Amino acid sequence: MKTLLLIAVSSALINNVVLSQFMGLCPFLGVSKKIKTASGMGAAVIFVITISSFLCAVIYKDILVPLELTYLNTIVFILVIAALVQFVEMVLKKVSPSLYKALGVYLPLITTNCAVLGVALTNVSKEYDVLTSVVNGFATALGFAIAIVILAGIRERNEYNDVPESFKGMPITLITAGLMAIAFIGFSGII
Amino acid sequence: MNKCVERLYNGIVKENPTLVLTLGMCPTLAVTTSAVNGAGMGLASTVVLALSNLIISLLRNVIPDRVRMPAYIVIVASFVTVVEFLMQGFVPSLYSSLGIYIPLIVVNCIILGRAESYASKNGPVASLFDGIGMGLGFTLAITVLGAFREILGAGTVFGYSFIPENNPTSFEPISIFVMAPGAFFVLAMLVAAMNRIKKKKGRPVIDMCRDDGCIGCGNLSCAGRKNVKEGKE
């Protein structure tokens, strides 16, 4: 239990997936204009990464390892993730239209956000079991959601600021992200 | 022959994937902690880009249009796996310092973007040179970025220290530049500089990164936008 908690805190805050590992930067910079869309994106990422890290961990443990095909992990994971996202979208549309309405628009956007593949590969390289993989996946995605919502909050306020002409748009967002990354370094004192 | 040279020039200067098209930002930020890491990452991506462009171009009339994305992904992922094992065997130190970012070359949008916007429409030789040109452009950009961060953050260039040994206090490295936040700051300055140059020339400034995942760039906005642009020419 204690190790699981440590892994969760470490993946969500200390080694934050965007701010210290740079995975999933495109949605992080692209969908962070408004808090509402950012939180929708964050929720969709949590949903997909948690399911995909479970699925990839099971496939790795029960199919690739017994067949000695572990060297195929990159190819298998990326296809599994791409298929999974399509499948989740179809199931949500049928089973829960309200949830689909909330997350649906964001699902195709993360078809394979590099964070999704990155988490699956990290779980394998650190030799986590299935439960630990799911916890690690959930925590990593939670870290992404926290970071994107905070960035969206700052950007909403930044709209009214007088930014130098050349820095408008992407550069000022990158500087904001850099300052957030410095703040997140502070979490490394927790463990 | 002229066409090949033109493709190389196009990839390295005119449409440099990092500096002009701003594609593939994840590895650009993650591995540029030193010039050597940047060069290693760039060359690994160049090999994958050139070979996958070649194969996709050869198969472009065989792959059905509706399943082209999964087919491209499988081809790219296979080459990435090959490169990963070669690096593990021959340059183990570089392999361990690049770590998880080697398999993540699969989701580098430069590769799928070129497959979609160039290799799927042009002949094998031109596609091969397009891949090499784009790859070298990427390598050049991230090596320079890496060198820049290394000089400011660690006081070394390609691993060699330039701080005089008899006077070690003459240069104090700003270690934030080799840490994660430094990557954001360096890229912000670079994009701001590019924006300024583009404004002066009257071209549109660099757009916010695509609002989809890295791999989505291949089929949606950026490659799609490129298609429109190339169609007009």
Side-chain angles (χ1 to χ4, degrees), chain A residues 98-114:
Chain A
S98 61
L99 195 59
Y100 178 75
K101 219 176 169 190
L103 302 183
V105 235
Y106 305 103
L107 283 176
L109 299 183
I110 26 176
T111 310
T112 12
N113 170 337
C114 42

Side-chain angles (χ1 to χ4, degrees), chain A residues 18-31 33 41 71-75 78-79 82 108-115 117-119 121-122 125 155 165-179 181-182 185, chain B residues 22 25-27 29-31 70 73-74 77-81 84-85 100-101 103-104 106-107 109 149 176 179-185 187-189 191-193 195-196 199 205-217 219-220:
Chain A
V18 255
L19 295 174
S20 86
Q21 317 231 38
F22 308 107
M23 290 174 204
L25 265 183
C26 304
F28 180 68
L29 298 173
V31 201
K33 268 191 181 143
M41 186 70 188
Y71 59 89
L72 287 180
N73 61 6
T74 311
I75 305 176
I78 192 143
L79 289 177
L109 299 183
I110 26 176
T111 310
T112 12
N113 170 337
C114 42
L117 180 63
V119 172
L121 289 169
T122 312
S125 70
R155 281 183 69 185
E165 195 60 32
S166 310
F167 277 84
K168 274 188 182 144
M170 188 150 152
I172 193 69
T173 312
L174 285 168
I175 288 178
T176 313
L179 293 173
I182 293 182
I185 288 178
Chain B
T22 54
M25 283 297 129
C26 313
L29 290 175
V31 302
I73 292 173
V74 173
S78 313
F79 281 119
V80 169
T81 308
E84 193 184 347
F85 282 114
I100 193 167
Y101 297 102
L104 284 180
V106 180
V107 282
C109 33
R149 284 179 68 188
I176 196 85
M179 292 158 76
F184 287 111
F185 294 140
L187 186 67
M189 296 303 163
V191 176
N195 275 350
R196 200 175 163 78
K199 266 227 174 85
V205 295
I206 290 171
D207 204 355
M208 188 58 68
C209 202
R210 266 56 57 174
D211 48 7
D212 47 356
C214 302
I215 219 172
C217 302
N219 47 9
L220 294 168

Side-chain angles (χ1 to χ4, degrees), chain B residues 30-80:
Chain B
V31 302
T32 49
T33 48
S34 71
V36 176
N37 280 356
M41 183 68 187
L43 291 177
S45 309
T46 306
V47 173
V48 175
L49 193 52
L51 292 177
S52 61
N53 254 9
L54 176 69
I55 298 295
I56 288 168
S57 168
L58 285 173
L59 294 177
R60 68 186 188 280
N61 296 326
V62 185
I63 299 173
D65 205 39
R66 290 186 62 186
V67 293
R68 64 185 196 289
M69 273 300 147
Y72 296 166
I73 292 173
V74 173
I75 293 170
V76 175
S78 313
F79 281 119
V80 169

Side-chain angles (χ1 to χ4, degrees), chain B residues 144-194:
Chain B
V144 170
L145 261 176
F148 192 67
R149 284 179 68 188
E150 199 185 341
I151 291 169
L152 288 174
T156 57
V157 190
F158 284 98
Y160 297 104
S161 175
F162 62 79
I163 304 170
E165 269 176 36
N166 49 10
N167 188 9
T169 51
S170 60
F171 179 79
E172 182 75 40
I174 317 161
S175 57
I176 196 85
F177 277 100
V178 285
M179 292 158 76
F184 287 111
F185 294 140
V186 171
L187 186 67
M189 296 303 163
L190 190 75
V191 176
M194 293 300 297

Side-chain angles (χ1 to χ4, degrees), chain B residues 22 33 103 108 125-126 130 153-154 157 171 182 185 188 197 212 216 218 222 228 232:
Chain B
T22 54
T33 48
N108 187 332
V125 178
D130 181 72
V157 190
F171 179 79
F185 294 140
I197 296 170
D212 47 356
C222 53
V228 174
K232 274 182 193 160

